């Protein structure tokens, strides 16, 4: 088990390094001069532009710029915003709690709704509950998050007046954005749990458990569901990353303050250090979540732990 964790940690570190390199390359090859974008037409002469370029180290070769960028990342230095001259890391950390709260609520909605509907759909195959669960799954996957968000705003905020239209203060402000993002993950989990449960309940050992007189609820929830959760865990790990990226749209629709919102603002303002910092920070969280999902396999299924 220790060797497995060490291998997963090494793989995670390599993925983070690769992500930092990919982010830097994408920002490097984007068209446009970052110095001119930062000065926004305020440069007085070519000499002044060249002086700023030298101060930022942009006159150095590509590999030198990347090494300096990566060494600064290792020291927790994500650079300075070219718009308001504030440290990028401080700006990210200031907005992270709001985004993590939204992601946590969305993941809870996805896991609870997806797992419950997936199990009920498999147990009541081809019945009304099955049709309802499949509709929810198809709706969550098919509908764009901005469309779902606007629909919920029109119904619950404008028509019924139950929940706030915008903002990030109080638990009520998390309800509509959490449901909007959560429906996407719920759609994926419903399908995964339903299909896996249908395969598991047709296995010979399930038939044997029923033949021995074990209660149906014990067969379903103690044995079938446990084995069906392994593929669902993989989907949940991927889903967390999708939820983080989805905050860019949802935080904009609901006017919430979070790292998705500052990423959207940074892209509009061409503030490259902030874009690099947010994307790299998100990649670290994504890798960390998938590392925890990998480790959780061993606890859900003892056969995997013994094989390791």
């Amino acid at each position: 088990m220790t060797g497995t964790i060490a291998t997963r940690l090494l793989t995670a570190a390599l993925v983070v390094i690769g992500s930092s390199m990919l982010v830097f390359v994408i920002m490097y090859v984007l068209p446009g001069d970052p110095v001119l974008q930062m000065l926004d037409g305020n440069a007085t002469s070519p000499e002044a532009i060249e002086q700023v370029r030298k101060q930022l180290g942009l006159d150095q070769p590509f590999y030198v710029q990347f090494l300096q960028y990566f060494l600064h990342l290792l020291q927790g230095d994500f650079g300075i915003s070219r718009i308001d001259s504030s440290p990028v890391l401080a700006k990210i950390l200031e907005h992270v709690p709001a985004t993590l709260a939204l992601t946590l609520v969305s993941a809870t909605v996805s896991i609870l709704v997806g797992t419950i509907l997936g199990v009920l759909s498999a147990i009541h195959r081809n019945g009304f509950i099955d049709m309802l669960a499949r509709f929810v799954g198809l709706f969550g996957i098919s509908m764009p998050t901005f469309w779902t968000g606007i629909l919920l705003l029109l119904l619950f905020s404008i028509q019924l007046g139950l929940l706030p239209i915008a903002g990030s203060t109080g638990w009520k402000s998390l309800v509509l954005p959490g449901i909007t993002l959560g429906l996407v993950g719920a759609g994926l989990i419903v399908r995964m749990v339903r299909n896996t449960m249908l395969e598991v309940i047709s296995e010979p050992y399930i038939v044997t458990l029923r033949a021995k007189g074990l209660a149906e609820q014990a067969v379903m929830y103690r044995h079938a569901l446990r084995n069906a959760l392994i593929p669902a865990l993989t989907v949940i790990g991927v889903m967390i990353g999708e939820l983080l990226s989805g905050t860019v749209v949802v935080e904009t629709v609901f006017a919430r303050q979070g790292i998705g919102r500052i990423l959207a603002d940074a892209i509009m303002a061409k503030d490259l250090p902030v874009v690099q910092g947010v994307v790299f920070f998100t990649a670290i969280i994504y890798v960390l979540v998938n590392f925890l999902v990998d480790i959780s396999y061993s606890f859900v299924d003892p056969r995997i732990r013994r094989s390791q």
Side-chain angles (χ1 to χ4, degrees):
M1 188 66 185
T2 304
T4 302
I5 294 176
T7 304
R8 296 287 192 275
L9 280 175
L10 178 61
T11 305
L14 292 175
V15 172
V16 170
I17 294 173
S19 301
S20 68
M21 183 179 295
L22 182 61
V23 170
F24 185 83
V25 169
I26 291 174
M27 294 296 106
Y28 186 84
V29 299
L30 280 178
D33 189 329
V35 175
L36 294 180
Q37 293 167 356
M38 181 181 65
L39 295 174
D40 195 22
N42 295 323
T44 55
S45 65
E47 291 76 14
I49 295 175
E50 194 59 32
Q51 182 64 28
V52 174
R53 195 186 309 279
K54 190 173 182 180
Q55 289 175 351
L56 296 175
L58 298 177
D59 60 333
Q60 299 294 325
F62 168 80
Y63 68 93
V64 174
Q65 290 187 42
F66 175 73
L67 285 177
Q68 291 176 343
Y69 165 74
F70 189 70
L71 289 175
H72 288 158
L73 285 181
L74 292 179
Q75 299 170 14
D77 181 4
F78 282 40
I80 302 295
S81 169
R82 292 172 186 169
I83 301 301
D84 55 14
S85 300
S86 62
V88 173
L89 182 59
K91 179 178 285 193
I92 292 173
L93 294 178
E94 180 186 354
H95 292 83
V96 157
T99 297
L100 288 184
L102 174 59
T103 305
L104 181 62
V105 172
S106 305
T108 303
V109 170
S110 297
I111 294 170
L112 287 180
V113 174
T115 304
I116 292 173
L117 287 183
V119 172
L120 293 177
S121 177
I123 293 175
H124 302 281
R125 185 179 183 183
N126 296 327
F128 173 74
I129 296 178
D130 185 23
M131 293 175 61
L132 177 63
R134 292 165 71 178
F135 172 77
V136 172
L138 185 62
F139 181 86
I141 295 173
S142 306
M143 295 299 107
T145 51
F146 74 88
W147 186 87
T148 306
I150 293 173
L151 190 67
L152 293 176
L153 276 176
L154 289 174
L155 178 60
F156 292 100
S157 299
I158 297 178
Q159 291 294 329
L160 301 178
L162 297 176
L163 296 166
I165 296 177
S168 52
T169 305
W171 65 270
K172 286 187 176 180
S173 67
L174 278 170
V175 176
L176 293 183
I179 293 175
T180 301
L181 264 182
L183 281 177
V184 179
L188 295 173
I189 296 176
V190 164
R191 290 191 162 196
M192 178 60 70
V193 172
R194 179 183 184 275
N195 294 336
T196 311
M197 280 288 289
L198 289 175
E199 291 178 5
V200 170
I201 60 180
S202 62
E203 292 286 336
Y205 75 92
I206 294 293
V207 178
T208 303
L209 290 172
R210 284 172 171 159
K212 287 183 177 180
L214 194 64
E216 186 65 17
Q217 287 188 342
V219 172
M220 285 295 171
Y221 297 109
R222 191 186 303 168
H223 297 278
L225 179 58
R226 190 170 186 174
N227 289 310
L229 283 179
I230 299 294
L233 282 175
T234 304
V235 173
I236 291 171
V238 175
M239 181 196 70
I240 298 295
E242 294 293 328
L243 293 179
L244 284 171
S245 59
T247 58
V248 176
V249 175
V250 173
E251 287 178 350
T252 302
V253 170
F254 291 92
R256 287 182 55 83
Q257 292 300 318
I259 58 174
R261 182 74 181 278
I262 64 172
L263 176 61
D265 292 342
I267 292 173
M268 295 295 292
K270 298 179 181 177
D271 193 349
L272 297 186
V274 174
V275 175
Q276 287 176 321
V278 172
V279 174
F280 181 68
F281 190 85
T282 306
I284 292 176
I285 296 178
Y286 187 80
V287 169
L288 179 62
V289 169
N290 279 275
F291 167 74
L292 295 176
V293 169
D294 280 347
I295 299 302
S296 68
Y297 290 153
S298 303
F299 294 97
V300 174
D301 191 340
R303 293 172 299 178
I304 297 177
R305 185 165 59 248
R306 285 195 293 270
S307 68
Q308 291 172 345

